[in-house]
Amino acid sequence: NMSAIGDRDAAAIDFLMPPSLSPVAEGGKNMYIIAGLGNPTAQYRGTRHNVGFEVIDYLADKYNIDVTTKKFKGLIGQKVVLVKPQTFMNLSGECIQEVMNYYKTDISDLIVVYDDINLEPGQLRVRGKGSAGGHNGMKNIILHCNSQDFPRVRVGIGAKPPKMDLADFVLSHFQGEEKKAMEDGYKEAADAVCSLMNNGLEATMNHYNQKKT
């Protein structure tokens, strides 16, 4: 049982934010849960559907946060709560709901990062709320949290080739020039997450929703 509900010792890790990430809201009372979506196990590493994991890894590296602690069916980083659900994509909500319940976090302090086939590779779209738009991981989060009123950062993975099955496409790997675009996209998405916490939704949307040329 990887759940940490009731496991007080394991959960008593210091979850203070590093100063560079501390939110400016009301004396920094907010506890942000940042979840990047993807599928666990080595076979899915680097696939299009796993861009959320990549962004979490980027944040973890940048702020030196360990995200290897297995709890709540997810990997939790100690400082900002960085989450990579280990439930497989379509059950992401099970993990997110447990984390939210444990930290008693408000739904508006959840930020979800995930892939979008309607955006060019590496392009971002930041939104404050909305439907799942056909994304199974998001569908499950909205179902379990009983709300769609939380900010999200979508990272473009490019459009599916006409004759290709959607599942095959999202589980495929990036090719050639896409890889560079995605590296830039992960960095931008990580910056956008920090901006959501520090600068708020409007400013973040205005800055990051510009189409990159």
Side-chain angles (χ1 to χ4, degrees):
N1 180 13
M2 292 199 298
S3 170
I5 305 297
D7 184 6
R8 290 291 161 213
D9 288 340
I13 303 160
D14 185 3
F15 281 101
L16 290 172
M17 292 190 168
S20 50
L21 274 184
S22 65
V24 290
E26 294 92 46
K29 69 173 177 57
N30 294 31
M31 170 67 140
Y32 288 95
I33 309 285
I34 303 164
L37 305 190
N39 285 305
T41 73
Q43 75 183 93
Y44 296 106
R45 195 169 296 136
T47 59
R48 293 173 197 271
H49 223 20
N50 270 39
V51 301
F53 278 17
E54 298 282 352
V55 174
I56 294 295
D57 288 345
Y58 183 93
L59 280 166
D61 289 345
K62 183 172 180 180
Y63 294 103
N64 199 22
I65 299 169
D66 176 24
V67 285
T68 56
T69 312
K70 277 206 171 175
K71 290 197 302 215
F72 310 114
K73 306 180 189 157
L75 296 178
I76 312 271
Q78 312 168 5
K79 286 190 181 100
V80 176
V81 186
L82 300 178
V83 186
K84 291 156 67 177
Q86 302 292 292
T87 51
F88 287 92
M89 180 64 87
N90 296 355
L91 297 175
S92 297
E94 291 182 6
C95 168
I96 306 299
Q97 185 184 25
E98 281 200 41
V99 176
M100 301 286 290
N101 288 348
Y102 183 81
Y103 290 107
K104 301 180 175 52
T105 317
D106 193 70
I107 190 75
S108 60
D109 294 328
L110 169 68
I111 300 170
V112 181
V113 184
Y114 61 103
D115 55 296
D116 190 339
I117 57 171
N118 298 311
L119 296 170
E120 293 290 307
Q123 292 283 342
L124 299 193
R125 187 70 74 247
V126 179
R127 288 280 180 266
K129 57 184 177 184
S131 72
H135 191 283
N136 286 340
M138 281 293 282
K139 274 185 200 162
N140 196 254
I141 292 172
I142 290 167
L143 175 74
H144 278 274
C145 294
N146 200 21
S147 173
Q148 54 182 28
D149 297 340
F150 54 88
R152 68 283 311 262
V153 178
R154 306 201 307 264
V155 185
I157 59 170
K160 174 182 82 70
K163 291 198 169 69
M164 195 173 186
D165 180 67
L166 179 61
D168 290 340
F169 176 67
V170 298
L171 296 179
S172 68
H173 289 76
F174 294 103
Q175 305 299 321
E177 288 181 6
E178 288 181 325
K179 289 182 182 170
K180 174 75 176 81
M182 293 311 298
E183 290 300 321
D184 293 345
Y186 302 146
K187 179 185 181 305
E188 283 261 301
D191 291 347
V193 166
C194 295
S195 176
L196 278 169
M197 293 188 288
N198 289 309
N199 308 322
L201 179 65
E202 291 303 319
T204 303
M205 290 199 304
N206 289 341
H207 188 274
Y208 291 94
N209 288 353
Q210 313 278 348
K211 187 159 168 58
K212 292 202 296 247
T213 47

